[in-house]
Amino acid sequence: MKTVRNRGRTLTALCVAALAGAATAHTWPESTIRLAPNGTMIGDLGFDRNHIPDGDLSSFKVPPPGMNKVQPDHKLVRAGPLNAGSYPPQFPMLSVAPGDWVAIHYRENGHVSRADSEPMAKPVNRGTVYLYGTTHNDLSGVNFMDVHLKWTADGNGGDGKGRLLATRHYDDGQCHEAIPATGDVAGIVASRKKFTNVEAVLCQSDVQIPIDVPVGSIYSVIWVWDWATLDKWGVAVPPATYELGQGDPAVLESQFYTGVVDYKIVDPCDEVLGPVKGPTCVQGTNKATDAVQFVLNQPAVSRGIPAQMADPFLVKVPQAGFNVPGPTADPKSIPFAPVIGKTEKPKLPWPAQILAAQNTPGAAAPAAGGDPSGDEGNKKSPAAPNPTSTSMPTSTPTPTGDVVVTATTVVPEAVVTATVTRGGALSAAPSQRTVYRVRGRRVTAQW
Ligand SMILES: *[C@@H]1O[C@H](CO)[C@@H](O)[C@H](O)[C@H]1NC(C)=O
């Protein structure tokens, strides 16, 4: 198993740059890894297309820097065509099987740890990440508006060349940078350091490669982060619009950051996959299970995010077949949800009960009293109402680690998100909701 590289120094430098001016902000998907059904990262890292190591130049903003509004001819991605030079030996493309889960890593660069120290109002989920997939790999001439908010989960939207695979909160609920020179203004870093047991951990977007992607093809996953500047604080998720100044809440400035990660789609039993084969491999060595059974008690730096592996659409959008007028999400899936609806710029540092509101069962902030903010008012508050909060991940998982059983489901009938059963049979059941249950205990969260 490989853990992701710690780049605290680079993070600090980037963040100082990012916060120096309101117009500069950066994030791009930079590496990827397979996830076993229990949420453990497995195998080697793969990279993004035409990877630039530690490179600020990797960042691709839509609309281009200096502009507020997306125009129809603004391009989707920096990456350009996919060719022989796109994945040099030191930054290879990841091989995956149809139906595999993958995590796409990115640095939060202060947009989680210190988002509210900036002057402008940003959504509480720290923006929404939309993940689109296509086998049409040449994205060099593709316009942003022809893909974003056009491609749908059923693949019929827009020009029909790709589909919406998932929506995620940019704040995955555990990622944080090392404490930068400018300090831990909200208390987020100290809080997350406690429950992750690491100085810094990259953010991730987890996504399932569709089960019907042909073996032998290359599947391009386009990562689109909507980091809109809004007209008020406390908005849970950004509205999905290209218009500025309209609606409530209104977008004052469109800010998207995009990137592309390609996957080589191999036979589900291929050697290159190592011991954990694809979910449709039926050979004797098959380790696939018919559903995600997330083991919570494992190191934060090498596990996926249970909320993401339980629900492809943490943000419900009409494009995913939900009957909603605009994006919406259950607050329980949003870290720091207590500040939703608070239309004043938040007072920092945050008290313990805000820091404790996380989207990962068991991943609660320190109990009252251990709170770095020293907020008197919180001393009497109960600890996070989470029965699993007492035992946090240690550096090595115990063999009896808690297993979070996720009964997945928040998928409308119109959207085919296939569930694979052992032996490769497919089913696409309609759904109601997602339930988290830590084995042997009561339901810890559901939405
Ligand atoms: C998860 O599954 C993989 C593959 O079977 C295994 O290597 C890993 O140890 C498991 N992780 C945990 C925490 O049980």
Coordinates of all heavy atoms in Angstrom, one line a residue, residues 130-219:
Y130 N -18.0 18.3 -9.2 CA -18.8 17.4 -10.2 C -17.8 16.5 -10.9 O -16.7 17.0 -11.4 CB -19.5 18.3 -11.2 CG -20.6 19.2 -10.7 CD1 -20.3 20.4 -10.0 CD2 -21.9 19.0 -10.9 CE1 -21.3 21.2 -9.6 CE2 -22.9 19.8 -10.5 CZ -22.6 21.0 -9.8 OH -23.6 21.8 -9.4
L131 N -18.1 15.3 -11.0 CA -17.2 14.4 -11.7 C -17.9 13.8 -13.0 O -19.0 13.2 -12.8 CB -16.8 13.2 -10.8 CG -15.9 13.7 -9.7 CD1 -16.3 13.1 -8.4 CD2 -14.4 13.5 -10.0
Y132 N -17.3 14.1 -14.1 CA -17.9 13.6 -15.4 C -17.0 12.6 -16.0 O -15.8 12.6 -15.8 CB -18.0 14.8 -16.4 CG -19.0 15.9 -15.9 CD1 -18.5 17.0 -15.3 CD2 -20.4 15.8 -16.1 CE1 -19.3 18.1 -14.8 CE2 -21.2 16.8 -15.7 CZ -20.7 18.0 -15.1 OH -21.5 19.0 -14.6
G133 N -17.6 11.6 -16.7 CA -16.8 10.6 -17.4 C -17.1 10.5 -18.9 O -18.3 10.7 -19.3
T134 N -16.1 10.2 -19.6 CA -16.3 10.0 -21.1 C -15.2 9.1 -21.7 O -14.1 9.1 -21.2 CB -16.3 11.4 -21.8 OG1 -16.5 11.2 -23.2 CG2 -15.0 12.1 -21.6
T135 N -15.5 8.4 -22.8 CA -14.5 7.7 -23.5 C -14.1 8.5 -24.7 O -13.2 8.1 -25.5 CB -15.0 6.4 -24.1 OG1 -16.3 6.6 -24.7 CG2 -15.2 5.4 -22.9
H136 N -14.6 9.7 -24.9 CA -14.1 10.7 -25.9 C -13.0 11.4 -25.3 O -13.2 12.4 -24.6 CB -15.3 11.6 -26.3 CG -16.4 10.9 -27.0 ND1 -16.4 10.8 -28.4 CD2 -17.5 10.3 -26.6 CE1 -17.5 10.1 -28.8 NE2 -18.2 9.8 -27.7
N137 N -11.8 11.0 -25.5 CA -10.6 11.4 -24.7 C -10.1 12.8 -25.1 O -9.4 13.4 -24.3 CB -9.5 10.4 -24.7 CG -10.0 9.0 -24.4 OD1 -9.9 8.1 -25.2 ND2 -10.6 8.8 -23.2
D138 N -10.3 13.2 -26.3 CA -9.7 14.4 -26.8 C -10.6 15.6 -26.3 O -11.7 15.8 -26.9 CB -9.5 14.5 -28.3 CG -8.8 15.8 -28.7 OD1 -8.5 16.6 -27.8 OD2 -8.6 16.0 -29.9
L139 N -10.1 16.3 -25.3 CA -11.0 17.3 -24.7 C -10.5 18.7 -25.1 O -10.9 19.7 -24.6 CB -11.0 17.2 -23.2 CG -11.5 15.8 -22.7 CD1 -11.1 15.6 -21.2 CD2 -13.0 15.8 -22.8
S140 N -9.5 18.8 -26.0 CA -8.8 20.0 -26.3 C -9.7 21.1 -26.8 O -9.6 22.3 -26.5 CB -7.6 19.8 -27.2 OG -8.0 19.1 -28.3
G141 N -10.7 20.7 -27.6 CA -11.6 21.8 -28.2 C -12.9 21.9 -27.5 O -13.8 22.6 -27.9
V142 N -13.1 21.2 -26.4 CA -14.4 21.1 -25.7 C -14.7 22.3 -24.9 O -13.8 22.7 -24.0 CB -14.5 19.8 -24.9 CG1 -15.8 19.7 -24.1 CG2 -14.3 18.6 -25.8
N143 N -15.8 22.9 -25.0 CA -16.2 24.1 -24.2 C -16.8 23.6 -22.9 O -17.6 22.7 -22.8 CB -17.2 24.9 -25.0 CG -16.6 25.6 -26.2 OD1 -15.4 26.0 -26.2 ND2 -17.4 25.6 -27.3
F144 N -16.5 24.4 -21.9 CA -17.0 24.2 -20.5 C -18.5 24.0 -20.5 O -19.0 23.1 -19.9 CB -16.5 25.3 -19.6 CG -16.9 25.2 -18.2 CD1 -16.1 24.4 -17.3 CD2 -18.0 25.8 -17.7 CE1 -16.4 24.3 -16.0 CE2 -18.3 25.7 -16.4 CZ -17.6 24.9 -15.5
M145 N -19.2 25.0 -21.1 CA -20.6 25.0 -21.1 C -21.3 23.8 -21.8 O -22.5 23.6 -21.6 CB -21.2 26.3 -21.7 CG -21.1 27.5 -20.7 SD -22.2 28.8 -21.4 CE -21.8 30.1 -20.3
D146 N -20.5 23.2 -22.6 CA -21.1 22.0 -23.3 C -21.1 20.7 -22.5 O -21.7 19.7 -22.9 CB -20.4 21.8 -24.7 CG -20.6 22.9 -25.7 OD1 -21.7 23.6 -25.5 OD2 -19.8 23.1 -26.6
V147 N -20.3 20.8 -21.4 CA -20.2 19.6 -20.5 C -20.9 19.9 -19.1 O -21.8 19.2 -18.7 CB -18.8 19.2 -20.3 CG1 -18.6 18.2 -19.2 CG2 -18.2 18.7 -21.6
H148 N -20.4 21.0 -18.5 CA -20.9 21.2 -17.1 C -22.4 21.7 -17.1 O -22.7 22.6 -17.9 CB -20.0 22.3 -16.5 CG -20.4 22.5 -15.0 ND1 -20.5 21.5 -14.1 CD2 -20.8 23.7 -14.4 CE1 -20.9 22.0 -12.9 NE2 -21.1 23.3 -13.1
L149 N -23.2 21.0 -16.3 CA -24.6 21.2 -16.2 C -25.3 20.8 -17.4 O -26.5 21.0 -17.6 CB -25.0 22.7 -15.9 CG -24.3 23.3 -14.6 CD1 -24.7 24.7 -14.4 CD2 -24.5 22.5 -13.4
K150 N -24.6 20.1 -18.4 CA -25.3 19.6 -19.6 C -25.3 18.0 -19.5 O -26.3 17.4 -19.7 CB -24.6 20.0 -20.8 CG -24.6 21.5 -21.0 CD -25.9 22.1 -21.3 CE -25.9 23.6 -21.8 NZ -25.1 24.5 -21.0
W151 N -24.1 17.4 -19.3 CA -24.0 16.0 -19.3 C -24.8 15.5 -18.0 O -24.7 16.1 -17.0 CB -22.6 15.5 -19.2 CG -21.8 15.6 -20.5 CD1 -22.3 16.1 -21.7 CD2 -20.5 15.2 -20.7 NE1 -21.3 16.1 -22.6 CE2 -20.2 15.6 -22.1 CE3 -19.5 14.7 -19.9 CZ2 -18.9 15.3 -22.6 CZ3 -18.2 14.4 -20.5 CH2 -18.0 14.7 -21.8
T152 N -25.5 14.4 -18.2 CA -26.4 14.0 -17.1 C -26.0 12.5 -16.7 O -25.2 11.9 -17.4 CB -27.9 13.9 -17.6 OG1 -27.9 13.2 -18.8 CG2 -28.4 15.3 -17.8
A153 N -26.5 12.1 -15.6 CA -26.2 10.8 -15.1 C -26.6 9.7 -16.0 O -26.0 8.6 -16.0 CB -26.7 10.6 -13.7
D154 N -27.7 9.9 -16.7 CA -28.1 8.8 -17.7 C -27.4 8.9 -19.0 O -27.7 8.1 -19.9 CB -29.6 8.9 -17.8 CG -30.1 10.2 -18.5 OD1 -29.3 11.0 -19.0 OD2 -31.4 10.4 -18.5
G155 N -26.5 9.8 -19.2 CA -25.7 9.9 -20.4 C -26.5 10.6 -21.6 O -25.9 10.7 -22.7
N156 N -27.7 11.0 -21.4 CA -28.5 11.6 -22.5 C -28.4 13.1 -22.6 O -28.9 13.7 -23.6 CB -29.9 11.2 -22.4 CG -30.1 9.7 -22.5 OD1 -29.4 9.0 -23.3 ND2 -31.1 9.1 -21.8
G157 N -27.8 13.7 -21.6 CA -27.8 15.2 -21.6 C -26.7 15.8 -22.6 O -25.8 15.1 -22.9
G158 N -27.0 17.0 -23.0 CA -26.1 17.7 -23.9 C -25.8 17.0 -25.1 O -26.7 16.4 -25.8
D159 N -24.5 16.9 -25.5 CA -24.2 16.2 -26.8 C -24.1 14.6 -26.6 O -23.8 13.9 -27.5 CB -22.9 16.7 -27.4 CG -21.7 16.5 -26.4 OD1 -21.8 15.8 -25.4 OD2 -20.6 17.1 -26.6
G160 N -24.4 14.2 -25.4 CA -24.5 12.7 -25.1 C -23.1 12.0 -25.1 O -23.1 10.8 -25.1
K161 N -22.0 12.8 -25.1 CA -20.7 12.1 -25.2 C -20.1 11.7 -23.9 O -19.1 11.1 -23.8 CB -19.7 13.1 -25.9 CG -20.0 13.3 -27.4 CD -18.9 14.1 -28.0 CE -19.1 14.2 -29.6 NZ -18.2 15.2 -30.1
G162 N -20.8 12.0 -22.8 CA -20.3 11.6 -21.5 C -21.4 11.7 -20.5 O -22.6 12.0 -20.8
R163 N -21.1 11.4 -19.2 CA -22.1 11.4 -18.2 C -21.6 12.0 -16.9 O -20.4 12.0 -16.6 CB -22.7 10.0 -18.0 CG -21.7 9.0 -17.6 CD -22.4 7.6 -17.5 NE -22.0 6.7 -18.5 CZ -22.0 5.4 -18.4 NH1 -22.5 4.8 -17.3 NH2 -21.6 4.6 -19.3
L164 N -22.6 12.4 -16.1 CA -22.3 12.8 -14.7 C -22.1 11.6 -13.8 O -23.1 10.8 -13.8 CB -23.4 13.8 -14.2 CG -23.2 14.2 -12.8 CD1 -22.0 15.1 -12.6 CD2 -24.5 15.0 -12.3
L165 N -21.0 11.4 -13.2 CA -20.8 10.2 -12.4 C -21.0 10.5 -10.9 O -21.5 9.5 -10.2 CB -19.3 9.8 -12.5 CG -18.8 9.4 -13.9 CD1 -17.3 9.1 -13.8 CD2 -19.5 8.3 -14.5
A166 N -20.7 11.6 -10.4 CA -20.9 11.9 -9.0 C -20.8 13.4 -8.7 O -20.3 14.2 -9.5 CB -19.7 11.2 -8.3
T167 N -21.3 13.7 -7.5 CA -21.1 15.1 -7.0 C -20.6 14.9 -5.6 O -21.1 14.1 -4.8 CB -22.5 15.9 -6.9 OG1 -23.5 15.1 -6.2 CG2 -23.0 16.2 -8.3
R168 N -19.7 15.8 -5.2 CA -19.0 15.7 -3.9 C -18.9 17.1 -3.3 O -18.8 18.0 -4.0 CB -17.6 15.1 -4.0 CG -17.5 13.6 -3.9 CD -18.1 12.9 -5.2 NE -18.1 11.4 -5.1 CZ -19.0 10.7 -4.5 NH1 -20.0 11.2 -3.9 NH2 -18.9 9.4 -4.5
H169 N -18.8 17.1 -1.9 CA -18.5 18.3 -1.3 C -16.9 18.4 -1.4 O -16.2 17.4 -1.1 CB -18.9 18.3 0.2 CG -20.3 18.0 0.4 ND1 -21.3 18.8 -0.2 CD2 -21.0 17.0 1.1 CE1 -22.5 18.3 0.2 NE2 -22.3 17.2 0.9
Y170 N -16.4 19.6 -1.7 CA -15.0 19.8 -1.9 C -14.3 19.5 -0.5 O -13.2 18.8 -0.5 CB -14.7 21.2 -2.2 CG -13.3 21.6 -2.3 CD1 -12.6 21.5 -3.5 CD2 -12.6 22.1 -1.2 CE1 -11.2 21.9 -3.6 CE2 -11.2 22.5 -1.3 CZ -10.6 22.4 -2.5 OH -9.3 22.8 -2.6
D171 N -14.9 19.9 0.6 CA -14.4 19.5 1.9 C -14.9 18.0 2.1 O -16.0 17.8 2.4 CB -15.0 20.4 3.0 CG -14.5 20.0 4.4 OD1 -13.7 19.0 4.5 OD2 -14.9 20.6 5.3
D172 N -13.9 17.1 2.1 CA -14.3 15.7 2.2 C -14.5 15.3 3.7 O -14.8 14.1 3.9 CB -13.3 14.8 1.5 CG -11.9 14.8 2.2 OD1 -11.8 15.3 3.3 OD2 -10.9 14.2 1.6
G173 N -14.3 16.2 4.6 CA -14.5 15.9 6.0 C -13.3 15.5 6.8 O -13.4 15.4 8.0
Q174 N -12.2 15.2 6.2 CA -11.0 14.9 6.9 C -9.7 15.6 6.5 O -8.8 15.7 7.2 CB -10.8 13.4 6.9 CG -10.4 12.8 5.5 CD -10.0 11.3 5.6 OE1 -10.4 10.6 6.5 NE2 -9.1 10.9 4.7
C175 N -9.8 16.2 5.2 CA -8.5 16.7 4.7 C -8.2 18.0 5.4 O -9.0 18.8 5.8 CB -8.6 16.9 3.2 SG -9.9 18.1 2.6
H176 N -6.9 18.2 5.5 CA -6.4 19.5 6.1 C -4.9 19.6 5.7 O -4.2 18.6 5.5 CB -6.5 19.5 7.6 CG -5.8 18.4 8.4 ND1 -6.3 17.1 8.4 CD2 -4.7 18.4 9.0 CE1 -5.5 16.4 9.2 NE2 -4.5 17.1 9.5
E177 N -4.4 20.8 5.7 CA -3.0 21.0 5.5 C -2.3 21.1 6.8 O -3.0 21.2 7.9 CB -2.8 22.3 4.7 CG -3.4 23.5 5.5 CD -3.4 24.8 4.6 OE1 -3.2 24.7 3.4 OE2 -3.7 25.9 5.2
A178 N -1.0 21.2 6.8 CA -0.2 21.4 8.0 C -0.5 22.9 8.5 O -0.8 23.7 7.6 CB 1.3 21.2 7.8
I179 N -0.4 23.1 9.7 CA -0.7 24.5 10.2 C 0.2 25.5 9.5 O 1.5 25.3 9.6 CB -0.6 24.6 11.7 CG1 -1.7 23.8 12.4 CG2 -0.7 26.1 12.2 CD1 -1.7 23.8 13.9
P180 N -0.3 26.4 8.8 CA 0.6 27.4 8.0 C 1.0 28.5 8.9 O 0.6 28.7 10.0 CB -0.4 27.9 6.9 CG -1.7 27.8 7.6 CD -1.7 26.7 8.6
A181 N 1.9 29.3 8.3 CA 2.5 30.4 9.1 C 1.4 31.4 9.6 O 1.5 32.0 10.6 CB 3.5 31.1 8.2
T182 N 0.4 31.5 8.8 CA -0.7 32.4 9.2 C -1.6 31.9 10.3 O -2.6 32.5 10.7 CB -1.6 32.8 7.9 OG1 -1.9 31.5 7.2 CG2 -0.8 33.7 7.0
G183 N -1.4 30.6 10.7 CA -2.1 30.1 11.8 C -3.4 29.3 11.5 O -3.8 29.3 10.4
D184 N -3.9 28.7 12.5 CA -5.1 27.8 12.4 C -6.3 28.7 12.8 O -6.8 28.5 13.9 CB -4.9 26.6 13.3 CG -6.0 25.6 13.2 OD1 -6.7 25.7 12.2 OD2 -6.1 24.8 14.2
V185 N -6.7 29.5 11.9 CA -7.7 30.6 12.2 C -9.0 30.1 12.7 O -9.7 30.6 13.6 CB -7.9 31.6 11.1 CG1 -6.7 32.5 11.0 CG2 -8.1 30.9 9.8
A186 N -9.5 29.0 12.1 CA -10.8 28.4 12.4 C -10.7 27.4 13.5 O -11.7 27.0 14.1 CB -11.5 27.9 11.2
G187 N -9.5 26.8 13.7 CA -9.4 25.6 14.6 C -9.6 24.3 13.8 O -9.5 23.2 14.5
I188 N -9.7 24.4 12.5 CA -10.0 23.2 11.8 C -8.8 22.2 11.7 O -8.9 21.0 11.8 CB -10.4 23.6 10.3 CG1 -11.8 24.3 10.4 CG2 -10.5 22.4 9.4 CD1 -12.2 24.9 9.0
V189 N -7.6 22.8 11.6 CA -6.4 22.0 11.4 C -6.2 21.2 12.7 O -6.0 19.9 12.7 CB -5.2 22.8 11.1 CG1 -4.0 21.9 11.0 CG2 -5.4 23.5 9.7
A190 N -6.3 21.9 13.8 CA -6.0 21.2 15.1 C -7.1 20.1 15.3 O -6.8 19.0 15.8 CB -6.0 22.2 16.3
S191 N -8.3 20.4 15.0 CA -9.4 19.5 15.2 C -9.2 18.2 14.3 O -9.3 17.1 14.8 CB -10.7 20.2 14.9 OG -11.7 19.2 14.6
R192 N -8.9 18.4 13.1 CA -8.7 17.3 12.2 C -7.4 16.5 12.4 O -7.4 15.3 12.2 CB -8.8 17.8 10.7 CG -10.3 18.2 10.5 CD -10.6 18.3 9.0 NE -12.0 18.5 8.8 CZ -12.6 18.8 7.7 NH1 -11.9 18.9 6.6 NH2 -13.9 19.0 7.6
K193 N -6.4 17.2 12.9 CA -5.2 16.6 13.3 C -5.5 15.5 14.3 O -4.9 14.4 14.3 CB -4.2 17.6 13.8 CG -2.8 17.4 13.4 CD -1.9 18.6 13.8 CE -0.9 18.1 14.8 NZ 0.0 19.2 15.1
K194 N -6.4 15.9 15.3 CA -6.7 15.0 16.4 C -7.4 13.7 15.8 O -7.1 12.6 16.3 CB -7.6 15.7 17.4 CG -6.7 16.4 18.4 CD -7.5 16.7 19.7 CE -6.6 17.5 20.6 NZ -7.3 18.3 21.5
F195 N -8.4 13.9 15.0 CA -9.1 12.7 14.6 C -8.5 11.9 13.4 O -8.8 10.8 13.2 CB -10.6 12.9 14.5 CG -11.1 13.5 13.2 CD1 -11.1 12.8 12.0 CD2 -11.6 14.8 13.2 CE1 -11.6 13.4 10.8 CE2 -12.1 15.4 12.0 CZ -12.1 14.7 10.9
T196 N -7.5 12.6 12.7 CA -6.9 11.8 11.7 C -5.5 11.3 12.1 O -4.9 10.4 11.4 CB -6.6 12.7 10.4 OG1 -5.9 13.8 10.8 CG2 -8.0 13.1 9.8
N197 N -5.0 11.9 13.2 CA -3.6 11.5 13.7 C -2.5 11.8 12.7 O -1.5 11.2 12.7 CB -3.6 10.0 14.0 CG -4.2 9.7 15.3 OD1 -4.0 10.5 16.2 ND2 -4.8 8.5 15.4
V198 N -2.7 12.7 11.8 CA -1.6 13.2 10.9 C -1.6 14.7 10.8 O -2.6 15.4 10.9 CB -1.8 12.5 9.5 CG1 -1.3 11.1 9.5 CG2 -3.2 12.7 8.9
E199 N -0.4 15.2 10.4 CA -0.2 16.6 10.3 C -1.0 17.2 9.1 O -1.5 18.3 9.2 CB 1.3 16.9 10.0 CG 2.2 16.7 11.1 CD 1.9 17.6 12.3 OE1 1.7 18.8 12.1 OE2 1.9 17.1 13.5
A200 N -1.1 16.4 8.0 CA -1.8 16.9 6.8 C -2.3 15.7 6.0 O -1.6 14.6 6.1 CB -0.8 17.7 6.0
V201 N -3.4 15.8 5.4 CA -3.9 14.8 4.5 C -4.6 15.4 3.3 O -5.3 16.4 3.5 CB -4.8 13.8 5.3 CG1 -5.9 14.4 6.0 CG2 -5.3 12.7 4.4
L202 N -4.3 14.9 2.2 CA -4.9 15.4 1.0 C -6.4 15.2 1.0 O -6.9 14.3 1.6 CB -4.3 14.7 -0.3 CG -2.8 15.0 -0.6 CD1 -2.4 14.1 -1.7 CD2 -2.6 16.5 -0.9
C203 N -7.1 16.0 0.2 CA -8.6 15.8 0.0 C -8.7 14.7 -1.1 O -7.8 14.5 -1.9 CB -9.3 17.1 -0.5 SG -9.1 18.5 0.6
Q204 N -9.9 14.2 -1.2 CA -10.2 13.2 -2.2 C -11.6 13.3 -2.7 O -12.6 13.6 -2.0 CB -9.9 11.8 -1.8 CG -10.7 11.4 -0.6 CD -10.2 10.0 -0.1 OE1 -10.3 9.0 -0.7 NE2 -9.6 10.0 1.1
S205 N -11.8 13.0 -4.0 CA -13.1 12.8 -4.6 C -13.1 11.3 -5.0 O -12.3 10.8 -5.8 CB -13.3 13.6 -5.9 OG -13.2 15.0 -5.6
D206 N -14.0 10.5 -4.4 CA -14.1 9.1 -4.7 C -15.2 8.9 -5.7 O -16.3 9.5 -5.7 CB -14.5 8.3 -3.4 CG -13.4 8.4 -2.3 OD1 -12.3 8.8 -2.6 OD2 -13.8 8.1 -1.2
V207 N -14.9 8.1 -6.7 CA -15.8 7.9 -7.8 C -15.7 6.4 -8.3 O -14.7 5.8 -8.3 CB -15.6 8.9 -8.9 CG1 -14.2 8.7 -9.6 CG2 -16.7 8.9 -10.0
Q208 N -16.9 5.9 -8.7 CA -16.9 4.5 -9.2 C -16.9 4.6 -10.7 O -17.7 5.3 -11.4 CB -18.2 3.8 -8.7 CG -18.1 2.3 -9.1 CD -19.3 1.6 -8.5 OE1 -20.4 2.1 -8.2 NE2 -19.1 0.3 -8.3
I209 N -15.9 3.9 -11.3 CA -15.8 3.8 -12.8 C -17.0 3.0 -13.2 O -17.3 1.9 -12.7 CB -14.5 3.1 -13.2 CG1 -13.3 3.8 -12.7 CG2 -14.4 2.9 -14.7 CD1 -13.0 5.2 -13.2
P210 N -17.8 3.5 -14.2 CA -19.0 2.7 -14.6 C -18.7 1.3 -15.0 O -17.6 1.0 -15.5 CB -19.5 3.5 -15.8 CG -19.0 4.9 -15.6 CD -17.6 4.7 -15.0
I211 N -19.6 0.4 -14.7 CA -19.4 -1.0 -14.9 C -19.4 -1.4 -16.4 O -18.9 -2.4 -16.9 CB -20.5 -1.8 -14.2 CG1 -20.1 -3.2 -13.9 CG2 -21.9 -1.7 -14.9 CD1 -19.2 -3.3 -12.7
D212 N -20.0 -0.5 -17.2 CA -20.1 -0.8 -18.7 C -19.1 -0.1 -19.5 O -19.2 -0.1 -20.8 CB -21.5 -0.4 -19.1 CG -21.8 1.1 -18.9 OD1 -21.0 1.8 -18.3 OD2 -22.9 1.5 -19.3
V213 N -18.0 0.4 -18.9 CA -17.0 1.0 -19.8 C -16.2 -0.1 -20.4 O -15.8 -1.1 -19.7 CB -16.0 1.9 -18.9 CG1 -14.9 2.4 -19.7 CG2 -16.7 3.0 -18.3
P214 N -16.0 -0.1 -21.7 CA -15.4 -1.2 -22.4 C -13.9 -1.5 -22.0 O -13.1 -0.5 -21.9 CB -15.4 -0.8 -23.9 CG -16.3 0.3 -24.0 CD -16.4 1.0 -22.7
V215 N -13.6 -2.7 -21.8 CA -12.2 -3.1 -21.5 C -11.4 -2.7 -22.8 O -11.8 -2.9 -23.9 CB -12.1 -4.6 -21.2 CG1 -10.6 -5.1 -21.2 CG2 -12.8 -4.9 -19.9
G216 N -10.2 -2.1 -22.5 CA -9.4 -1.7 -23.7 C -9.5 -0.2 -24.0 O -8.7 0.3 -24.7
S217 N -10.5 0.4 -23.4 CA -10.7 1.8 -23.7 C -10.0 2.6 -22.6 O -9.5 2.1 -21.6 CB -12.2 2.2 -23.7 OG -12.7 2.0 -22.4
I218 N -9.9 3.9 -22.9 CA -9.4 4.8 -21.8 C -10.6 5.7 -21.4 O -11.3 6.2 -22.2 CB -8.2 5.7 -22.4 CG1 -7.0 4.8 -22.6 CG2 -8.0 6.9 -21.5 CD1 -5.8 5.5 -23.3
Y219 N -10.7 5.8 -20.1 CA -11.9 6.5 -19.6 C -11.3 7.8 -18.9 O -10.5 7.8 -18.1 CB -12.6 5.7 -18.5 CG -14.0 6.2 -18.3 CD1 -15.0 6.2 -19.3 CD2 -14.4 6.6 -17.1 CE1 -16.2 6.6 -19.1 CE2 -15.7 7.1 -16.8 CZ -16.6 7.1 -17.9 OH -17.9 7.5 -17.7

